[in-house]
PDB file of all heavy atoms in Angstrom:
ATOM      1  N   ALA S 214       7.122  42.807  15.477  1.00  0.00           N
ATOM      2  CA  ALA S 214       7.900  42.981  14.246  1.00  0.00           C
ATOM      3  C   ALA S 214       8.465  44.395  14.108  1.00  0.00           C
ATOM      4  O   ALA S 214       7.799  45.378  14.415  1.00  0.00           O
ATOM      5  CB  ALA S 214       7.106  42.649  13.001  1.00  0.00           C
ATOM      6  N   GLY S 215       9.688  44.438  13.658  1.00  0.00           N
ATOM      7  CA  GLY S 215      10.326  45.697  13.317  1.00  0.00           C
ATOM      8  C   GLY S 215      11.338  46.207  14.322  1.00  0.00           C
ATOM      9  O   GLY S 215      12.181  47.041  13.990  1.00  0.00           O
ATOM     10  N   VAL S 216      11.246  45.731  15.567  1.00  0.00           N
ATOM     11  CA  VAL S 216      12.204  46.203  16.571  1.00  0.00           C
ATOM     12  C   VAL S 216      13.626  45.801  16.149  1.00  0.00           C
ATOM     13  O   VAL S 216      13.856  44.653  15.763  1.00  0.00           O
ATOM     14  CB  VAL S 216      11.859  45.618  17.962  1.00  0.00           C
ATOM     15  CG1 VAL S 216      13.004  45.787  18.934  1.00  0.00           C
ATOM     16  CG2 VAL S 216      10.597  46.271  18.502  1.00  0.00           C
ATOM     17  N   GLY S 217      14.553  46.770  16.197  1.00  0.00           N
ATOM     18  CA  GLY S 217      15.926  46.484  15.783  1.00  0.00           C
ATOM     19  C   GLY S 217      16.899  46.494  16.937  1.00  0.00           C
ATOM     20  O   GLY S 217      17.860  45.724  16.982  1.00  0.00           O
ATOM     21  N   THR S 218      16.644  47.409  17.882  1.00  0.00           N
ATOM     22  CA  THR S 218      17.551  47.518  19.016  1.00  0.00           C
ATOM     23  C   THR S 218      16.763  47.987  20.239  1.00  0.00           C
ATOM     24  O   THR S 218      15.549  48.206  20.160  1.00  0.00           O
ATOM     25  CB  THR S 218      18.740  48.445  18.677  1.00  0.00           C
ATOM     26  OG1 THR S 218      19.703  48.371  19.743  1.00  0.00           O
ATOM     27  CG2 THR S 218      18.297  49.885  18.484  1.00  0.00           C
ATOM     28  N   ALA S 219      17.463  48.122  21.360  1.00  0.00           N
ATOM     29  CA  ALA S 219      16.770  48.348  22.629  1.00  0.00           C
ATOM     30  C   ALA S 219      15.901  49.605  22.619  1.00  0.00           C
ATOM     31  O   ALA S 219      14.786  49.598  23.151  1.00  0.00           O
ATOM     32  CB  ALA S 219      17.791  48.412  23.763  1.00  0.00           C
ATOM     33  N   SER S 220      16.390  50.686  21.999  1.00  0.00           N
ATOM     34  CA  SER S 220      15.614  51.933  22.018  1.00  0.00           C
ATOM     35  C   SER S 220      14.271  51.766  21.306  1.00  0.00           C
ATOM     36  O   SER S 220      13.277  52.386  21.685  1.00  0.00           O
ATOM     37  CB  SER S 220      16.416  53.073  21.390  1.00  0.00           C
ATOM     38  OG  SER S 220      16.901  52.710  20.116  1.00  0.00           O
ATOM     39  N   ASP S 221      14.215  50.905  20.285  1.00  0.00           N
ATOM     40  CA  ASP S 221      12.942  50.666  19.589  1.00  0.00           C
ATOM     41  C   ASP S 221      11.922  50.038  20.542  1.00  0.00           C
ATOM     42  O   ASP S 221      10.735  50.380  20.525  1.00  0.00           O
ATOM     43  CB  ASP S 221      13.135  49.733  18.388  1.00  0.00           C
ATOM     44  CG  ASP S 221      14.055  50.315  17.326  1.00  0.00           C
ATOM     45  OD1 ASP S 221      14.096  51.553  17.190  1.00  0.00           O
ATOM     46  OD2 ASP S 221      14.718  49.534  16.629  1.00  0.00           O
ATOM     47  N   ALA S 222      12.399  49.092  21.333  1.00  0.00           N
ATOM     48  CA  ALA S 222      11.501  48.442  22.296  1.00  0.00           C
ATOM     49  C   ALA S 222      11.020  49.444  23.334  1.00  0.00           C
ATOM     50  O   ALA S 222       9.851  49.461  23.717  1.00  0.00           O
ATOM     51  CB  ALA S 222      12.223  47.274  22.967  1.00  0.00           C
ATOM     52  N   ALA S 223      11.938  50.298  23.785  1.00  0.00           N
ATOM     53  CA  ALA S 223      11.566  51.315  24.774  1.00  0.00           C
ATOM     54  C   ALA S 223      10.524  52.274  24.196  1.00  0.00           C
ATOM     55  O   ALA S 223       9.555  52.640  24.871  1.00  0.00           O
ATOM     56  CB  ALA S 223      12.806  52.079  25.234  1.00  0.00           C
ATOM     57  N   ILE S 224      10.701  52.665  22.929  1.00  0.00           N
ATOM     58  CA  ILE S 224       9.740  53.576  22.289  1.00  0.00           C
ATOM     59  C   ILE S 224       8.351  52.932  22.239  1.00  0.00           C
ATOM     60  O   ILE S 224       7.339  53.566  22.550  1.00  0.00           O
ATOM     61  CB  ILE S 224      10.224  53.983  20.881  1.00  0.00           C
ATOM     62  CG1 ILE S 224      11.402  54.955  21.001  1.00  0.00           C
ATOM     63  CG2 ILE S 224       9.092  54.597  20.055  1.00  0.00           C
ATOM     64  CD1 ILE S 224      12.149  55.206  19.701  1.00  0.00           C
ATOM     65  N   ALA S 225       8.311  51.651  21.866  1.00  0.00           N
ATOM     66  CA  ALA S 225       7.009  50.950  21.814  1.00  0.00           C
ATOM     67  C   ALA S 225       6.330  50.999  23.175  1.00  0.00           C
ATOM     68  O   ALA S 225       5.132  51.278  23.281  1.00  0.00           O
ATOM     69  CB  ALA S 225       7.210  49.505  21.363  1.00  0.00           C
ATOM     70  N   MET S 226       7.094  50.763  24.216  1.00  0.00           N
ATOM     71  CA  MET S 226       6.513  50.749  25.561  1.00  0.00           C
ATOM     72  C   MET S 226       6.128  52.154  26.014  1.00  0.00           C
ATOM     73  O   MET S 226       5.119  52.353  26.689  1.00  0.00           O
ATOM     74  CB  MET S 226       7.477  50.109  26.560  1.00  0.00           C
ATOM     75  CG  MET S 226       7.777  48.640  26.298  1.00  0.00           C
ATOM     76  SD  MET S 226       6.335  47.569  26.113  1.00  0.00           S
ATOM     77  CE  MET S 226       5.653  47.633  27.760  1.00  0.00           C
ATOM     78  N   GLU S 227       6.939  53.145  25.634  1.00  0.00           N
ATOM     79  CA  GLU S 227       6.631  54.537  26.007  1.00  0.00           C
ATOM     80  C   GLU S 227       5.337  55.006  25.342  1.00  0.00           C
ATOM     81  O   GLU S 227       4.664  55.920  25.834  1.00  0.00           O
ATOM     82  CB  GLU S 227       7.789  55.467  25.620  1.00  0.00           C
ATOM     83  CG  GLU S 227       8.987  55.329  26.544  1.00  0.00           C
ATOM     84  CD  GLU S 227      10.220  56.073  26.035  1.00  0.00           C
ATOM     85  OE1 GLU S 227      10.066  57.007  25.219  1.00  0.00           O
ATOM     86  OE2 GLU S 227      11.328  55.705  26.443  1.00  0.00           O
ATOM     87  N   LEU S 228       4.985  54.392  24.196  1.00  0.00           N
ATOM     88  CA  LEU S 228       3.733  54.736  23.524  1.00  0.00           C
ATOM     89  C   LEU S 228       2.527  54.155  24.262  1.00  0.00           C
ATOM     90  O   LEU S 228       1.380  54.434  23.902  1.00  0.00           O
ATOM     91  CB  LEU S 228       3.744  54.219  22.080  1.00  0.00           C
ATOM     92  CG  LEU S 228       4.656  54.989  21.125  1.00  0.00           C
ATOM     93  CD1 LEU S 228       4.831  54.215  19.822  1.00  0.00           C
ATOM     94  CD2 LEU S 228       4.093  56.375  20.838  1.00  0.00           C
ATOM     95  N   GLY S 229       2.792  53.334  25.267  1.00  0.00           N
ATOM     96  CA  GLY S 229       1.692  52.777  26.049  1.00  0.00           C
ATOM     97  C   GLY S 229       1.331  51.350  25.662  1.00  0.00           C
ATOM     98  O   GLY S 229       0.330  50.814  26.148  1.00  0.00           O
ATOM     99  N   CYS S 230       2.153  50.731  24.809  1.00  0.00           N
ATOM    100  CA  CYS S 230       1.886  49.334  24.456  1.00  0.00           C
ATOM    101  C   CYS S 230       2.028  48.465  25.705  1.00  0.00           C
ATOM    102  O   CYS S 230       2.758  48.795  26.631  1.00  0.00           O
ATOM    103  CB  CYS S 230       2.861  48.850  23.384  1.00  0.00           C
ATOM    104  SG  CYS S 230       2.576  49.655  21.802  1.00  0.00           S
ATOM    105  N   ASP S 231       1.327  47.340  25.690  1.00  0.00           N
ATOM    106  CA  ASP S 231       1.354  46.425  26.834  1.00  0.00           C
ATOM    107  C   ASP S 231       2.511  45.445  26.755  1.00  0.00           C
ATOM    108  O   ASP S 231       2.815  44.771  27.750  1.00  0.00           O
ATOM    109  CB  ASP S 231       0.033  45.658  26.895  1.00  0.00           C
ATOM    110  CG  ASP S 231      -1.139  46.607  27.089  1.00  0.00           C
ATOM    111  OD1 ASP S 231      -1.351  47.039  28.225  1.00  0.00           O
ATOM    112  OD2 ASP S 231      -1.802  46.969  26.091  1.00  0.00           O
ATOM    113  N   GLY S 232       3.125  45.333  25.591  1.00  0.00           N
ATOM    114  CA  GLY S 232       4.241  44.413  25.440  1.00  0.00           C
ATOM    115  C   GLY S 232       4.889  44.562  24.080  1.00  0.00           C
ATOM    116  O   GLY S 232       4.419  45.336  23.232  1.00  0.00           O
ATOM    117  N   VAL S 233       5.986  43.841  23.895  1.00  0.00           N
ATOM    118  CA  VAL S 233       6.716  43.848  22.626  1.00  0.00           C
ATOM    119  C   VAL S 233       7.089  42.407  22.287  1.00  0.00           C
ATOM    120  O   VAL S 233       7.495  41.644  23.166  1.00  0.00           O
ATOM    121  CB  VAL S 233       8.005  44.698  22.714  1.00  0.00           C
ATOM    122  CG1 VAL S 233       8.732  44.711  21.376  1.00  0.00           C
ATOM    123  CG2 VAL S 233       7.706  46.119  23.151  1.00  0.00           C
ATOM    124  N   LEU S 234       6.913  42.057  21.011  1.00  0.00           N
ATOM    125  CA  LEU S 234       7.307  40.731  20.542  1.00  0.00           C
ATOM    126  C   LEU S 234       8.423  40.908  19.510  1.00  0.00           C
ATOM    127  O   LEU S 234       8.280  41.723  18.599  1.00  0.00           O
ATOM    128  CB  LEU S 234       6.099  40.025  19.916  1.00  0.00           C
ATOM    129  CG  LEU S 234       6.152  38.512  19.688  1.00  0.00           C
ATOM    130  CD1 LEU S 234       4.757  37.981  19.377  1.00  0.00           C
ATOM    131  CD2 LEU S 234       7.118  38.071  18.621  1.00  0.00           C
ATOM    132  N   MET S 235       9.498  40.187  19.675  1.00  0.00           N
ATOM    133  CA  MET S 235      10.615  40.328  18.729  1.00  0.00           C
ATOM    134  C   MET S 235      11.336  39.002  18.551  1.00  0.00           C
ATOM    135  O   MET S 235      11.296  38.140  19.423  1.00  0.00           O
ATOM    136  CB  MET S 235      11.599  41.378  19.234  1.00  0.00           C
ATOM    137  CG  MET S 235      12.288  40.974  20.528  1.00  0.00           C
ATOM    138  SD  MET S 235      13.382  42.247  21.159  1.00  0.00           S
ATOM    139  CE  MET S 235      12.231  43.483  21.739  1.00  0.00           C
ATOM    140  N   ASN S 236      12.004  38.871  17.408  1.00  0.00           N
ATOM    141  CA  ASN S 236      12.809  37.677  17.147  1.00  0.00           C
ATOM    142  C   ASN S 236      14.181  38.063  16.611  1.00  0.00           C
ATOM    143  O   ASN S 236      15.203  37.903  17.256  1.00  0.00           O
ATOM    144  CB  ASN S 236      12.051  36.757  16.166  1.00  0.00           C
ATOM    145  CG  ASN S 236      12.668  35.379  16.013  1.00  0.00           C
ATOM    146  OD1 ASN S 236      11.982  34.414  15.764  1.00  0.00           O
ATOM    147  ND2 ASN S 236      13.981  35.224  16.169  1.00  0.00           N
ATOM    148  N   THR S 237      14.200  38.645  15.402  1.00  0.00           N
ATOM    149  CA  THR S 237      15.461  38.891  14.720  1.00  0.00           C
ATOM    150  C   THR S 237      16.385  39.825  15.486  1.00  0.00           C
ATOM    151  O   THR S 237      17.615  39.643  15.459  1.00  0.00           O
ATOM    152  CB  THR S 237      15.184  39.467  13.316  1.00  0.00           C
ATOM    153  OG1 THR S 237      14.152  38.695  12.712  1.00  0.00           O
ATOM    154  CG2 THR S 237      16.419  39.396  12.436  1.00  0.00           C
TER     155      THR S 237
END
Side-chain angles (χ1 to χ4, degrees):
Chain S
V216 165
T218 188
S220 52
D221 297 330
I224 287 168
M226 296 308 293
E227 286 170 22
L228 287 167
C230 292
D231 299 281
V233 181
L234 196 167
M235 65 183 72
N236 190 150
T237 314

